[in-house]
Amino acid sequence: MSLLLETTVGNVTIDLDTDGSPQLVRNVLKLAKCRYYTNTLIYNVQPHRLCQLGDPRGDGTGGCSIFGLIDAVRSNLDDVRQSRRRFLKSEGRALTAAELCERGRLVASEIGGVRDTVGSQLILTVDGGRSGEGLALDGLVELGSGGGDAAASAAASTTADGQQGRYLSVGVVVEDDDDVLGKINGLYCDANGRPYADVRIIRAHVLDDPFDDPDGLEDVLDARGVKLEPPAGSNGNAAAPRLATASPAWERPPEEIVERRIGADVALAEDDANINAEEQEEALRKKEDKSRAVVLEMLGDLPTADIAAPDNVLFVCKLNPVTDDEDLELIFSRFDPNARAEIIRDPDTGDSLCYAFVEFTTKEQCNEAYFKMNNALVDDRRIK
Protein backbone atom coordinates (compact mmCIF):
# COMPACT_ATOMS: atom_id res chain seq x y z
CA MET A 1 0.00 0.00 0.00
CA SER A 2 1.50 3.32 -1.04
CA LEU A 3 1.34 7.05 -0.39
CA LEU A 4 2.90 9.76 -2.56
CA LEU A 5 3.91 12.94 -0.75
CA GLU A 6 4.11 15.91 -3.10
CA THR A 7 6.24 18.60 -1.45
CA THR A 8 7.63 21.99 -2.44
CA VAL A 9 11.06 20.37 -2.92
CA GLY A 10 9.96 17.21 -4.79
CA ASN A 11 8.05 13.97 -4.39
CA VAL A 12 8.59 10.88 -2.27
CA THR A 13 6.76 7.56 -2.46
CA ILE A 14 6.18 5.68 0.79
CA ASP A 15 5.41 1.98 1.15
CA LEU A 16 3.07 1.71 4.15
CA ASP A 17 3.36 -0.96 6.85
CA THR A 18 -0.18 -2.31 6.60
CA ASP A 19 0.70 -5.66 8.16
CA GLY A 20 2.64 -4.33 11.13
CA SER A 21 0.61 -1.22 11.98
CA PRO A 22 -2.78 -1.50 10.25
CA GLN A 23 -4.63 1.05 12.41
CA LEU A 24 -1.89 3.66 12.13
CA VAL A 25 -1.70 3.19 8.36
CA ARG A 26 -5.49 3.33 8.00
CA ASN A 27 -5.50 6.59 9.93
CA VAL A 28 -2.89 8.19 7.65
CA LEU A 29 -4.61 6.99 4.46
CA LYS A 30 -8.03 8.30 5.48
CA LEU A 31 -6.59 11.67 6.57
CA ALA A 32 -4.80 11.91 3.21
CA LYS A 33 -8.05 11.02 1.46
CA CYS A 34 -9.69 13.96 3.23
CA ARG A 35 -6.80 16.20 2.10
CA TYR A 36 -5.92 16.86 5.76
CA TYR A 37 -2.22 17.20 4.91
CA THR A 38 -2.74 19.73 2.11
CA ASN A 39 -0.13 22.52 2.38
CA THR A 40 0.83 21.63 5.96
CA LEU A 41 4.33 22.56 7.09
CA ILE A 42 7.36 20.43 7.69
CA TYR A 43 7.71 22.36 10.91
CA ASN A 44 10.74 20.83 12.62
CA VAL A 45 14.01 19.50 11.21
CA GLN A 46 16.77 17.87 13.24
CA PRO A 47 19.78 17.57 10.89
CA HIS A 48 21.01 14.05 10.21
CA ARG A 49 18.06 12.66 12.12
CA LEU A 50 14.47 13.51 11.19
CA CYS A 51 11.76 15.98 10.27
CA GLN A 52 8.25 16.38 11.70
CA LEU A 53 5.11 16.97 9.66
CA GLY A 54 1.34 16.59 9.62
CA ASP A 55 0.31 19.38 12.03
CA PRO A 56 -2.08 21.91 10.44
CA ARG A 57 -1.26 24.39 13.25
CA GLY A 58 2.42 24.24 12.32
CA ASP A 59 3.84 24.23 15.86
CA GLY A 60 3.51 20.60 17.01
CA THR A 61 0.38 21.13 19.12
CA GLY A 62 -2.32 20.36 16.56
CA GLY A 63 -3.69 17.59 14.43
CA CYS A 64 -6.01 14.69 15.13
CA SER A 65 -6.88 11.18 14.04
CA ILE A 66 -9.46 10.53 11.34
CA PHE A 67 -12.00 9.70 14.05
CA GLY A 68 -11.38 13.03 15.77
CA LEU A 69 -11.87 14.81 12.44
CA ILE A 70 -15.16 12.97 11.85
CA ASP A 71 -16.30 13.82 15.38
CA ALA A 72 -15.38 17.49 14.93
CA VAL A 73 -17.40 17.74 11.73
CA ARG A 74 -20.44 15.89 13.07
CA SER A 75 -20.39 17.77 16.40
CA ASN A 76 -19.71 21.10 14.66
CA LEU A 77 -16.67 21.79 16.86
CA ASP A 78 -14.73 25.00 16.32
CA ASP A 79 -11.45 23.31 17.25
CA VAL A 80 -10.70 19.65 16.52
CA ARG A 81 -8.62 19.56 19.70
CA GLN A 82 -11.91 19.60 21.63
CA SER A 83 -12.88 16.20 20.24
CA ARG A 84 -12.91 13.29 22.67
CA ARG A 85 -11.90 11.03 19.79
CA ARG A 86 -8.92 13.14 18.81
CA PHE A 87 -6.26 10.46 19.37
CA LEU A 88 -5.50 6.82 18.62
CA LYS A 89 -3.75 4.41 20.94
CA SER A 90 -0.01 3.92 20.44
CA GLU A 91 -0.33 0.45 18.96
CA GLY A 92 1.68 -0.91 16.05
CA ARG A 93 4.87 -2.64 15.01
CA ALA A 94 8.01 -1.44 16.78
CA LEU A 95 11.03 -0.63 14.61
CA THR A 96 13.93 -3.04 14.91
CA ALA A 97 17.37 -1.90 16.02
CA ALA A 98 18.52 -1.86 12.39
CA GLU A 99 15.47 0.13 11.23
CA LEU A 100 16.13 2.80 13.87
CA CYS A 101 19.28 3.71 11.96
CA GLU A 102 17.67 3.78 8.50
CA ARG A 103 16.96 6.78 6.31
CA GLY A 104 13.38 7.25 5.10
CA ARG A 105 11.51 5.60 7.99
CA LEU A 106 8.03 7.03 8.64
CA VAL A 107 7.05 6.82 12.31
CA ALA A 108 3.88 7.61 14.27
CA SER A 109 4.03 10.78 16.35
CA GLU A 110 2.57 11.68 19.74
CA ILE A 111 1.85 15.01 21.42
CA GLY A 112 4.52 15.85 23.97
CA GLY A 113 5.63 12.23 24.20
CA VAL A 114 2.40 11.25 25.97
CA ARG A 115 1.36 7.70 25.16
CA ASP A 116 -1.88 7.08 23.22
CA THR A 117 -1.92 10.56 21.65
CA VAL A 118 -1.36 9.53 18.03
CA GLY A 119 -3.11 11.89 15.62
CA SER A 120 -2.08 13.19 12.22
CA GLN A 121 1.53 14.05 13.00
CA LEU A 122 4.36 11.96 11.58
CA ILE A 123 8.14 11.70 11.82
CA LEU A 124 10.33 11.00 8.80
CA THR A 125 14.02 10.16 9.16
CA VAL A 126 16.18 12.17 6.75
CA ASP A 127 19.55 10.49 7.31
CA GLY A 128 20.86 7.10 8.31
CA GLY A 129 23.93 5.03 9.07
CA ARG A 130 25.26 2.38 11.37
CA SER A 131 24.27 1.83 14.98
CA GLY A 132 26.12 4.12 17.35
CA GLU A 133 26.59 6.95 14.83
CA GLY A 134 23.69 8.98 16.25
CA LEU A 135 21.76 9.20 12.97
CA ALA A 136 18.01 8.87 12.33
CA LEU A 137 16.37 7.47 15.51
CA ASP A 138 19.48 5.70 16.74
CA GLY A 139 19.99 6.44 20.44
CA LEU A 140 17.11 8.92 20.48
CA VAL A 141 14.79 8.45 23.47
CA GLU A 142 12.80 11.70 23.29
CA LEU A 143 12.27 14.20 20.51
CA GLY A 144 12.18 17.90 21.20
CA SER A 145 10.88 20.20 18.48
CA GLY A 146 11.33 23.47 20.30
CA GLY A 147 7.59 23.69 20.67
CA GLY A 148 7.50 23.45 24.45
CA ASP A 149 5.81 20.74 26.46
CA ALA A 150 3.29 20.12 23.70
CA ALA A 151 5.93 19.46 21.04
CA ALA A 152 5.36 16.25 19.11
CA SER A 153 7.59 13.26 19.62
CA ALA A 154 7.85 9.84 18.11
CA ALA A 155 5.47 7.22 19.41
CA ALA A 156 7.86 5.46 21.72
CA SER A 157 8.12 3.99 25.17
CA THR A 158 11.21 4.01 27.33
CA THR A 159 12.34 1.32 29.68
CA ALA A 160 12.79 1.82 33.42
CA ASP A 161 16.56 2.19 33.03
CA GLY A 162 16.17 4.92 30.42
CA GLN A 163 17.20 2.82 27.44
CA GLN A 164 15.90 3.50 23.97
CA GLY A 165 12.20 2.83 23.70
CA ARG A 166 9.76 1.66 21.07
CA TYR A 167 9.12 3.51 17.78
CA LEU A 168 5.99 2.55 15.87
CA SER A 169 6.33 1.94 12.15
CA VAL A 170 4.05 3.58 9.58
CA GLY A 171 6.09 3.04 6.41
CA VAL A 172 9.35 3.50 4.55
CA VAL A 173 10.38 5.67 1.59
CA VAL A 174 10.86 3.52 -1.51
CA GLU A 175 11.33 6.28 -4.12
CA ASP A 176 13.03 9.65 -3.71
CA ASP A 177 14.28 10.59 -7.15
CA ASP A 178 14.16 14.31 -6.26
CA ASP A 179 16.37 13.78 -3.18
CA VAL A 180 13.67 15.30 -0.99
CA LEU A 181 15.16 13.79 2.17
CA GLY A 182 18.57 15.23 1.34
CA LYS A 183 17.11 18.68 0.65
CA ILE A 184 15.18 18.68 3.94
CA ASN A 185 18.26 17.50 5.81
CA GLY A 186 20.22 20.44 4.40
CA LEU A 187 17.70 23.17 5.31
CA TYR A 188 18.80 26.13 7.43
CA CYS A 189 16.68 26.25 10.60
CA ASP A 190 16.13 28.54 13.57
CA ALA A 191 16.82 27.61 17.21
CA ASN A 192 13.49 25.75 17.39
CA GLY A 193 14.26 23.60 14.36
CA ARG A 194 11.85 25.36 12.02
CA PRO A 195 13.28 25.93 8.52
CA TYR A 196 13.79 29.57 7.53
CA ALA A 197 12.18 28.69 4.18
CA ASP A 198 8.78 26.99 4.46
CA VAL A 199 8.65 23.46 3.07
CA ARG A 200 5.11 22.17 2.72
CA ILE A 201 3.31 18.95 1.91
CA ILE A 202 1.45 20.26 -1.12
CA ARG A 203 -0.70 17.16 -1.25
CA ALA A 204 -0.68 13.55 -0.04
CA HIS A 205 -1.85 11.19 -2.81
CA VAL A 206 -3.33 7.83 -1.85
CA LEU A 207 -2.08 5.35 -4.44
CA ASP A 208 -3.56 2.24 -2.85
CA ASP A 209 -6.04 1.92 0.03
CA PRO A 210 -7.16 -1.55 1.19
CA PHE A 211 -9.19 -0.29 4.15
CA ASP A 212 -12.91 0.41 4.35
CA ASP A 213 -13.91 4.00 5.00
CA PRO A 214 -15.02 4.71 8.59
CA ASP A 215 -18.59 5.80 9.17
CA GLY A 216 -18.87 9.56 8.70
CA LEU A 217 -16.00 9.99 6.24
CA GLU A 218 -18.36 11.25 3.54
CA ASP A 219 -19.42 14.07 5.89
CA VAL A 220 -15.79 15.12 6.26
CA LEU A 221 -15.22 15.02 2.51
CA ASP A 222 -18.26 17.24 1.94
CA ALA A 223 -17.24 19.67 4.70
CA ARG A 224 -13.72 20.02 3.27
CA GLY A 225 -14.86 20.35 -0.35
CA VAL A 226 -13.27 17.09 -1.47
CA LYS A 227 -14.99 15.32 -4.36
CA LEU A 228 -13.97 11.81 -5.35
CA GLU A 229 -14.91 10.17 -8.65
CA PRO A 230 -14.14 6.68 -10.01
CA PRO A 231 -11.45 6.69 -12.72
CA ALA A 232 -12.43 6.45 -16.38
CA GLY A 233 -12.97 2.88 -17.47
CA SER A 234 -13.84 1.53 -14.01
CA ASN A 235 -17.39 0.71 -15.23
CA GLY A 236 -18.87 1.23 -11.80
CA ASN A 237 -16.43 -1.11 -10.07
CA ALA A 238 -16.82 -0.28 -6.37
CA ALA A 239 -13.32 -1.57 -5.63
CA ALA A 240 -11.68 0.85 -8.08
CA PRO A 241 -9.78 3.71 -6.39
CA ARG A 242 -11.57 7.04 -6.56
CA LEU A 243 -9.71 10.10 -7.81
CA ALA A 244 -10.12 13.59 -6.37
CA THR A 245 -11.74 16.03 -8.80
CA ALA A 246 -11.92 18.84 -6.22
CA SER A 247 -10.00 19.53 -3.01
CA PRO A 248 -9.08 22.44 -0.68
CA ALA A 249 -7.29 25.26 -2.50
CA TRP A 250 -5.82 27.11 0.48
CA GLU A 251 -2.16 28.15 0.45
CA ARG A 252 -1.89 27.30 4.15
CA PRO A 253 -4.29 25.45 6.47
CA PRO A 254 -6.91 27.66 8.20
CA GLU A 255 -5.67 26.32 11.56
CA GLU A 256 -2.05 27.42 11.00
CA ILE A 257 -0.89 29.84 13.72
CA VAL A 258 2.85 30.26 13.05
CA GLU A 259 4.32 33.16 11.13
CA ARG A 260 4.50 32.75 7.39
CA ARG A 261 7.97 32.55 5.86
CA ILE A 262 9.28 32.57 2.32
CA GLY A 263 8.43 29.36 0.51
CA ALA A 264 11.26 26.96 -0.25
CA ASP A 265 10.17 26.89 -3.88
CA VAL A 266 10.49 30.70 -4.04
CA ALA A 267 13.89 30.58 -2.34
CA LEU A 268 15.10 27.95 -4.77
CA ALA A 269 13.79 30.02 -7.67
CA GLU A 270 15.75 33.04 -6.46
CA ASP A 271 18.89 30.92 -6.17
CA ASP A 272 18.37 29.82 -9.76
CA ALA A 273 17.68 33.32 -11.10
CA ASN A 274 20.75 33.08 -13.31
CA ILE A 275 19.16 30.21 -15.24
CA ASN A 276 17.42 31.47 -18.36
CA ALA A 277 13.68 31.08 -18.85
CA GLU A 278 13.99 28.25 -21.38
CA GLU A 279 16.10 26.13 -19.03
CA GLN A 280 13.67 26.75 -16.16
CA GLU A 281 10.71 25.75 -18.33
CA GLU A 282 12.49 22.60 -19.48
CA ALA A 283 13.40 21.66 -15.89
CA LEU A 284 9.78 22.21 -14.81
CA ARG A 285 8.49 20.03 -17.65
CA LYS A 286 10.89 17.26 -16.71
CA LYS A 287 9.85 17.45 -13.07
CA GLU A 288 6.14 17.30 -13.98
CA ASP A 289 6.74 14.41 -16.38
CA LYS A 290 8.65 12.53 -13.71
CA SER A 291 5.88 13.07 -11.16
CA ARG A 292 3.26 11.81 -13.62
CA ALA A 293 5.43 8.79 -14.47
CA VAL A 294 5.78 7.86 -10.79
CA VAL A 295 2.01 8.02 -10.30
CA LEU A 296 1.41 5.95 -13.46
CA GLU A 297 3.92 3.37 -12.26
CA MET A 298 2.15 3.06 -8.90
CA LEU A 299 -1.20 2.68 -10.68
CA GLY A 300 0.27 -0.05 -12.89
CA ASP A 301 0.02 1.84 -16.18
CA LEU A 302 3.83 1.90 -16.60
CA PRO A 303 6.23 -0.95 -15.77
CA THR A 304 8.71 1.60 -14.36
CA ALA A 305 8.82 5.40 -14.03
CA ASP A 306 12.22 5.47 -15.74
CA ILE A 307 11.06 3.72 -18.90
CA ALA A 308 12.13 5.45 -22.12
CA ALA A 309 11.80 4.77 -25.81
CA PRO A 310 14.80 3.15 -27.58
CA ASP A 311 17.05 5.78 -29.17
CA ASN A 312 16.91 4.03 -32.56
CA VAL A 313 13.11 4.25 -32.87
CA LEU A 314 11.45 7.27 -34.51
CA PHE A 315 7.92 8.39 -33.69
CA VAL A 316 6.03 9.67 -36.77
CA CYS A 317 2.65 11.42 -36.55
CA LYS A 318 0.14 13.35 -38.69
CA LEU A 319 0.11 10.59 -41.30
CA ASN A 320 -2.45 10.32 -44.05
CA PRO A 321 -4.89 7.46 -43.23
CA VAL A 322 -4.13 5.89 -46.63
CA THR A 323 -0.39 5.56 -45.88
CA ASP A 324 0.58 1.98 -45.02
CA ASP A 325 3.61 0.25 -43.46
CA GLU A 326 5.24 -0.57 -46.78
CA ASP A 327 5.04 3.07 -47.89
CA LEU A 328 6.87 4.24 -44.78
CA GLU A 329 9.50 1.51 -45.00
CA LEU A 330 10.19 2.50 -48.60
CA ILE A 331 10.45 6.19 -47.71
CA PHE A 332 12.80 5.63 -44.75
CA SER A 333 14.89 2.97 -46.51
CA ARG A 334 17.08 5.79 -47.87
CA PHE A 335 18.48 6.11 -44.32
CA ASP A 336 18.50 2.39 -43.49
CA PRO A 337 17.71 -0.40 -45.99
CA ASN A 338 16.56 -2.50 -43.02
CA ALA A 339 14.20 0.10 -41.55
CA ARG A 340 10.98 -1.39 -40.18
CA ALA A 341 7.76 0.63 -39.86
CA GLU A 342 4.59 -0.09 -37.90
CA ILE A 343 1.50 2.09 -38.20
CA ILE A 344 -0.67 1.97 -35.09
CA ARG A 345 -4.24 0.96 -35.93
CA ASP A 346 -7.59 0.81 -34.19
CA PRO A 347 -7.90 -2.70 -32.69
CA ASP A 348 -11.56 -2.97 -33.72
CA THR A 349 -11.73 -1.37 -37.16
CA GLY A 350 -8.12 -1.70 -38.30
CA ASP A 351 -8.13 1.94 -39.40
CA SER A 352 -4.90 3.89 -39.14
CA LEU A 353 -4.61 6.16 -36.09
CA CYS A 354 -2.28 8.35 -38.17
CA TYR A 355 0.91 7.73 -36.25
CA ALA A 356 3.65 5.13 -36.45
CA PHE A 357 7.00 3.94 -35.13
CA VAL A 358 10.00 3.39 -37.41
CA GLU A 359 12.91 1.30 -36.15
CA PHE A 360 16.44 1.80 -37.51
CA THR A 361 19.58 -0.26 -37.06
CA THR A 362 21.53 2.56 -35.40
CA LYS A 363 20.84 5.73 -33.45
CA GLU A 364 22.71 7.80 -36.06
CA GLN A 365 20.38 6.62 -38.85
CA CYS A 366 17.39 7.51 -36.68
CA ASN A 367 18.72 11.01 -36.00
CA GLU A 368 19.43 11.63 -39.69
CA ALA A 369 15.90 10.54 -40.61
CA TYR A 370 14.44 12.89 -38.02
CA PHE A 371 16.32 15.97 -39.21
CA LYS A 372 15.69 15.32 -42.92
CA MET A 373 12.09 14.03 -42.80
CA ASN A 374 10.55 16.30 -40.17
CA ASN A 375 7.76 18.29 -41.88
CA ALA A 376 8.26 16.31 -45.11
CA LEU A 377 5.29 15.81 -47.46
CA VAL A 378 4.01 12.20 -47.54
CA ASP A 379 0.71 11.39 -49.27
CA ASP A 380 -0.28 15.10 -49.17
CA ARG A 381 0.34 15.31 -45.40
CA ARG A 382 3.28 17.01 -43.70
CA ILE A 383 4.49 14.47 -41.19
CA LYS A 384 6.11 15.29 -37.88
Side-chain angles (χ1 to χ4, degrees), residues 56-316:
R57 288 172 63 85
D59 66 347
T61 65
C64 65
S65 71
I66 186 60
F67 301 103
L69 187 58
I70 293 172
D71 181 49
V73 170
R74 286 187 160 182
S75 303
N76 197 27
L77 300 178
D78 294 331
D79 189 340
V80 72
R81 294 179 298 170
Q82 300 171 356
S83 172
R84 295 182 178 181
R85 303 184 65 192
R86 180 183 177 189
F87 299 122
L88 298 178
K89 290 186 176 181
S90 301
E91 297 176 347
R93 183 182 72 82
L95 295 185
T96 65
E99 290 172 340
L100 292 171
C101 306
E102 290 180 359
R103 184 176 190 253
R105 284 285 167 182
L106 191 67
V107 179
S109 182
E110 296 171 334
I111 301 294
V114 178
R115 192 171 178 84
D116 297 335
T117 58
V118 175
S120 60
Q121 296 191 45
L122 298 165
I123 301 219
L124 183 61
T125 58
V126 296
D127 204 350
R130 293 174 296 180
S131 178
E133 292 182 343
L135 303 176
L137 297 171
D138 181 38
L140 198 61
V141 174
E142 185 177 354
L143 304 179
S145 69
D149 293 337
S153 70
S157 61
T158 58
T159 59
D161 58 0
Q163 297 300 309
Q164 179 146 356
R166 201 169 67 96
Y167 293 85
L168 301 182
S169 170
V170 175
V172 60
V173 172
V174 291
E175 289 190 19
D176 183 14
D177 295 334
D178 297 324
D179 191 28
V180 173
L181 299 183
K183 292 174 182 176
I184 293 174
N185 190 34
L187 291 172
Y188 291 101
C189 303
D190 61 20
N192 293 323
R194 183 183 170 191
Y196 285 111
D198 283 344
V199 177
R200 295 182 181 271
I201 306 297
I202 299 174
R203 198 167 287 111
H205 301 275
V206 178
L207 302 182
D208 194 5
D209 180 5
F211 300 103
D212 293 333
D213 290 342
D215 183 42
L217 188 71
E218 291 294 335
D219 297 334
V220 176
L221 294 175
D222 291 341
R224 297 179 67 84
V226 180
K227 295 182 180 179
L228 302 177
E229 300 291 343
S234 62
N235 297 322
N237 181 9
R242 293 190 295 169
L243 305 178
T245 58
S247 60
W250 52 63
E251 294 184 359
R252 56 187 298 192
E255 304 95 325
E256 190 171 293
I257 61 172
V258 297
E259 65 173 349
R260 190 168 185 172
R261 295 179 175 177
I262 185 173
D265 50 344
V266 176
L268 290 173
E270 291 179 354
D271 291 341
D272 296 336
N274 57 331
I275 301 178
N276 62 50
E278 290 184 0
E279 290 177 332
Q280 291 185 29
E281 185 177 354
E282 178 66 19
L284 180 61
R285 279 200 301 266
K286 288 182 178 179
K287 182 178 179 180
E288 291 175 346
D289 290 344
K290 183 64 177 178
S291 298
R292 294 190 187 102
V294 170
V295 173
L296 290 174
E297 178 187 359
M298 300 308 299
L299 294 175
D301 290 341
L302 283 179
T304 172
D306 297 321
I307 192 171
D311 54 15
N312 65 327
V313 175
L314 185 66
F315 174 72
V316 183

